[in-house]
Amino acid sequence: AFRFQAMLARLFGLSAVLSVASCSVLRNATEHVPFSVFPEFSSNISSPTMADSLQDKVVRILELKPGFPENIAVQVFDEKYYDQLSLEKKKRFLKCLNSGIVNENSIMGCYANYPDDYEVFKPFFSRVLEIYHKVDLSKTKHVNSWSLKGIPGLPDDGVLDLTRLGLPPLSIRVRTGRNLKKFPLPGSMTKEDRVAMEVAMGKVFDKLIAMPDFGGRYVSITPGHPNEITPAEYDELVKAHIMFKDMSVDKYLLAAGIAEHWPHGRGCYVSEDKGFIIWVGEEDHLRIMCMKKGSVLNEVFDRLKAAIDVVEALIDGGCAYNDEFGVVTSCPTNIGTGMRASVHIQLPNLTADGTDKKVKAIAKPLGLSVRGLGGEHTPIGEDG
């Protein structure tokens, strides 16, 4: 089995729900994190060795351009734009691109490290967003709405029922991402940042656990955490698709700095019925999701909306968000709503050769992404 995943806009025609964010000024995302407290960029960078190292990366990017046309970050890189940046900003900018430099077969190839990276490096990220999301940001801006009313292509009754597509009940998951204003994004967090963020969220989970509609428990893989679980328990939760996989073996997230300090600051909240989950310390500070085996997407979508309203209200300082820009996420693929919908479905005839080449060739023109049962960057078996 594999995860047949898509932006909701592509899967169910919800273009208004998942319209892409514009690259307008993110006014409030870093109000609790002054730039001067970010240790990596607070010093005066003037070392010739540092400059040489940065130039090596630029040379590498230019070498990759002809051979890797699908690496968006590499293709968008403009040497003239880069040359006009200060040395300090050059370092910060190239850190955003490091995953795509190290992993030349990347599709996106870049991650934001701070909530205002999308504004600080707006010429670059604007073009990245336009290419990936296939929009013209000079004419389009983000509209964040949970309403399904008036959206062309949806059933008149608004019910998104998979049986109408001839499909049996499937495992459905809808998730979104959130990042706390008080901290850098995961790519530039220190170990102390990660642990502190998990501690801050502990107060939120205590309140959720006390609510009848949520209940459940919080588990951590941070050494010494009061809710630390054993490696065996962690493996069981991963197999049950409740906990996220070991990030320290993901070469893309490692190169981006997102997987550093594993397993510190990582954990998972699970509701009593196991249908509502919050990952802590993955690609974004929080991955909030609802899942259910069934046929009607609305049931999962509506529960997620209600749960997010509760969680965001409990977070001290709030999440990185702007009315014009939308939800701030590490990866530009998620910008705007941070949302993806997925279903588990077997297509053995398309994977009989042991690869995902055929199914990806079919899915890509439809705006769909294909992932293994274990999530992004995991293989698909011959059984589909």
Side-chain angles (χ1 to χ4, degrees), residues 103-135:
N103 303 291
E104 61 269 12
N105 63 338
S106 299
I107 300 300
M108 177 52 69
C110 60
Y111 293 89
N113 288 283
Y114 297 101
D116 66 344
D117 275 351
Y118 292 102
E119 177 60 26
V120 173
F121 306 114
K122 185 174 181 179
F124 170 80
F125 277 111
S126 293
R127 187 59 188 140
V128 165
L129 292 171
E130 287 181 328
I131 292 173
Y132 182 84
H133 294 284
K134 297 178 175 62
V135 295

Side-chain angles (χ1 to χ4, degrees), residues 71-250:
N71 187 322
I72 296 175
V74 165
Q75 295 304 316
V76 171
F77 178 83
D78 184 334
E79 193 172 9
K80 290 183 179 179
Y81 167 71
Y82 172 81
D83 286 342
Q84 58 87 33
L85 297 175
S86 67
L87 190 56
E88 187 172 334
K89 285 187 177 179
K90 285 178 179 178
K91 180 190 176 188
R92 182 177 170 184
F93 178 62
L94 289 181
K95 190 176 190 304
C96 294
L97 278 68
N98 196 63
S99 187
I101 299 171
V102 175
N103 303 291
E104 61 269 12
N105 63 338
S106 299
I107 300 300
M108 177 52 69
C110 60
Y111 293 89
N113 288 283
Y114 297 101
D116 66 344
D117 275 351
Y118 292 102
E119 177 60 26
V120 173
F121 306 114
K122 185 174 181 179
F124 170 80
F125 277 111
S126 293
R127 187 59 188 140
V128 165
L129 292 171
E130 287 181 328
I131 292 173
Y132 182 84
H133 294 284
K134 297 178 175 62
V135 295
D136 181 348
L137 291 178
S138 68
K139 301 177 181 178
T140 305
K141 73 173 185 177
H142 176 74
V143 178
N144 195 35
S145 172
W146 290 83
S147 175
L148 305 183
K149 295 181 180 179
I151 298 177
L154 289 187
D156 292 338
D157 60 6
V159 178
L160 308 177
D161 190 343
L162 295 177
T163 62
R164 295 176 181 175
L165 303 176
L167 295 170
L170 299 171
S171 176
I172 305 170
R173 177 179 297 201
V174 183
R175 64 86 167 150
T176 186
R178 293 292 187 274
N179 288 285
L180 279 63
K181 288 182 182 178
K182 290 184 174 182
F183 300 93
L185 296 182
S188 282
M189 294 180 83
T190 64
K191 184 170 74 172
E192 291 73 23
D193 286 334
R194 299 184 198 280
V195 172
M197 190 271 291
E198 184 183 25
V199 170
M201 284 303 301
K203 299 175 183 178
V204 175
F205 299 136
D206 287 343
K207 292 178 181 178
L208 287 180
I209 291 168
M211 296 179 181
D213 290 343
F214 292 92
R217 64 173 182 151
Y218 179 75
V219 298
S220 175
I221 55 175
T222 300
H225 191 283
N227 299 85
E228 183 183 4
I229 56 176
T230 66
E233 289 175 301
Y234 167 73
D235 288 340
E236 287 300 315
L237 290 174
V238 172
K239 290 177 183 177
H241 307 293
I242 292 174
M243 186 64 172
F244 52 95
K245 62 184 180 175
D246 183 350
M247 298 168 66
S248 69
V249 298
D250 188 315

